[in-house]
Amino acid sequence: MAETPRRILLGVTGGIAAYKSPDVVRRLRERGAEVQVVMTPSAREFVAPLTFQAVSGREVRESLWDAAAEAAMGHIELARWAEAVLIAPATAEFLARLTHGRADDLLATLCLATTAPVFVAPAMNRAMWANPATQDNVKILQGRGITVLGPARGEQACGEVGEGRMLEPAEIAERLMQHLTCEPVLAGSRVVVSAGPTRERIDPVRYISNRSSGKMGYAVAQAAREAGADVVLVSGPVALTPPSGVHVVRVESAAEMHAAVLQAVNGADVYIGAAAVADYTPSVIHPQKLKKQADTLTLELVRAPDVLAEVAALRPRPFVVGFAAETEQLEAYARSKLERKALDLIAANLVGDETGFDRDDNALLLLWPGGQATLPQDSKLSLARQLVRRIALLRSPEQAPAGREALGGSLA
Ligand code: PMT
């Protein structure tokens, strides 16, 4: 089992939810963490530093300009000391400063200087949370790999009811530890992941493609690698940097994806088809650029190979996971793909202008023979990690690290 990071830097910013932050310290310490609290100047207006000192057992850090504290552990050293940074509560103001990479107080500077994973637990009035400025900031932060925990819905300090409350301290601690405890549930396994779109050429300058960015598939490849697998990522044309430690095979068309995947799955333990492979491809590729002539142009398309169905038909075959991208009737269509192609698991997502494609977040409905689980809106990486844990659980129920309940699933 991987070691859980033990040195957690807790940033407390100036919101009323700061009164709950001492309990966050307590919950983290119960789970074996050392906690160093760093407060912003406005956080002091809500809770006295002495409270944090008492519960953390460490002197609280507040200022970039504290010569005595800097002499003990300078801010860069503090940034290096942290194995994870958690900001709870994270106010709208702090999220905005984080988005802009400000370094105008100790906490913001530490966030800029650390290479540790950063988590934020937002807390603010519901209208401030819903404001497009805050929502855009959150998307940017998620895109940079920052994990957003919450917020929750409910009654707010201002008397309003809605989304914006900080998650309860126990839940923050639990979710943080879940993210950090990356158990090698796929150690020793060979996993093949397909990602991105395909391009089906019409002539030397044109092609038919789709809106897949590859983000979901790349996140799955990263999560499988983190879980200890040997990962081959068969990627359509995308503008992403592959996760480190993953072997990448680049392809363009459905035919190339088909050939590369069938070669890679030979002897593999798991195949995860996250690519948006073309269903149809032009029957001929014109050798020269098609010239404008009549008012209409008809292209004849023929079926492209169904990579997922072919992998599922192999004997012996790996554990086969498909994705279903739907614009309607998500569960019904996904279930029919699961059954028709005899898959072990399918991850269904709604796609369209607002969901699925080319975003940093997503929501998945997982279906497998005998069960299902809903993974609510979250970053693609977080969803990918949950998917990987589910795969591990289904492949080997008795060895899986977490029970079905812990993963939020239900048995049908
Ligand atoms: O890449 P992003 O921008 O992050 O977007 C993510 C995503 C929406 C593309 C991803 O989450 C997703 O849903 N991928 C599957 C897209 C898709 O092709 O869905 P489908 O329902 O059309 O296909 C079902 C399954 O069959 C998929 O596993 C697909 O890889 C597979 N397939 C489809 C056609 C084909 N010719 N060969 C296949 O293997």
Side-chain angles (χ1 to χ4, degrees), residues 194-197 210-217 238 254 257 271-280 304-309 321-326 337 341 343 346-351 355-359 362 364 380:
S194 73
N210 60 64
R211 294 170 56 188
S212 169
S213 63
K215 287 181 180 175
M216 190 71 237
V238 298
M257 174 84 66
Y271 172 64
I272 308 172
V277 190
D279 288 323
Y280 291 91
D306 189 326
V307 183
L308 184 66
V321 182
F323 268 72
E326 309 295 348
K337 282 176 187 167
K341 298 189 187 182
L343 308 176
I346 195 156
N349 47 188
L350 281 171
V351 292
T355 52
F357 290 125
D358 199 14
R359 297 168 56 98
N362 201 5
L364 295 176
K380 283 183 174 167

Side-chain angles (χ1 to χ4, degrees), residues 362-373:
N362 201 5
L364 295 176
L365 170 67
L366 304 186
L367 303 174
W368 61 92
Q372 68 180 68

Side-chain angles (χ1 to χ4, degrees), residues 255-275:
E256 287 175 18
M257 174 84 66
H258 173 250
V261 167
L262 282 167
Q263 188 176 9
V265 291
N266 187 8
D269 301 291
V270 179
Y271 172 64
I272 308 172

Side-chain angles (χ1 to χ4, degrees), residues 201-207 282 284-294 296-300:
R201 285 188 185 211
I202 298 169
D203 65 20
V205 297
R206 303 181 180 96
Y207 56 78
V284 287
I285 302 176
H286 294 271
Q288 305 301 335
K289 185 180 170 192
L290 279 177
K291 287 293 172 200
K292 222 181 334 203
Q293 283 164 346
T296 60
L297 170 71
T298 304
L299 285 175
E300 187 187 54

Side-chain angles (χ1 to χ4, degrees), residues 36 41 62 116 148 185 193-194 207 217 263 265 303 322 363 404-405:
Q36 170 67 57
E62 296 173 69
V148 181
V185 288
V193 180
S194 73
Y207 56 78
Q263 188 176 9
V265 291
R303 286 289 294 268
R404 287 163 201 273
E405 304 71 32

